[in-house]
Amino acid sequence: MSKNYLKNSDKMAKIQIIYGLHSVRAALLNNKRIHNELIIHENHKNLLDKYKSKIKKIRVLEHKQFKKLYGGEQSTQGIVLKTEDFKRPSLEEFL
């Protein structure tokens, strides 16, 4: 699982990229996460209806483009989720 950084209005937000059907499903069911984008391989268009209520930005990529960006379907199972990392309290908030 790789992490990237995007600028947020008040601080840097860690973006997690989650691969695989079960991992993505679990992340989408977690209401504590803020989801940015769901990327689906063209062979899995049937997942569009299942997840469109959970996330607004969904992209379906052709095989060639998906493989170029994320590798083969064997490692990603044809589904990738870009989501923000959990918000962790600062030390002052924790105490």
Side-chain angles (χ1 to χ4, degrees):
M1 186 180 314
S2 61
K3 294 181 182 179
N4 299 321
Y5 296 94
L6 295 178
K7 288 187 178 180
N8 199 348
S9 58
D10 43 288
K11 60 183 175 179
M12 298 292 280
K14 287 184 182 178
I15 299 297
Q16 290 188 330
I17 300 176
I18 301 173
Y19 304 94
L21 291 169
H22 296 288
S23 301
V24 168
R25 181 174 173 244
L28 287 170
L29 291 174
N30 187 337
N31 294 328
K32 293 180 182 178
R33 288 188 179 269
I34 298 171
H35 310 299
N36 295 330
E37 183 177 15
L38 181 65
I39 299 110
I40 300 175
H41 188 279
E42 65 185 348
N43 292 343
H44 299 290
K45 287 183 184 177
N46 58 332
L47 297 175
L48 272 172
D49 293 332
K50 187 174 185 177
Y51 295 126
K52 69 180 176 183
S53 64
K54 298 278 184 190
I55 187 166
K56 293 178 183 175
K57 186 174 182 182
I58 300 176
R59 284 193 303 162
V60 178
L61 299 179
E62 296 175 347
H63 176 74
K64 187 176 179 180
Q65 190 178 16
F66 190 92
K67 187 173 182 179
K68 182 180 177 182
L69 294 172
Y70 302 106
E73 274 190 84
Q74 294 168 341
S75 59
T76 64
Q77 296 179 328
I79 189 166
V80 177
L81 177 66
K82 292 183 181 181
T83 184
E84 290 186 20
D85 198 1
F86 293 111
K87 293 182 180 177
R88 292 181 175 85
S90 67
L91 182 59
E92 293 147 358
E93 292 172 336
F94 183 73
L95 296 175

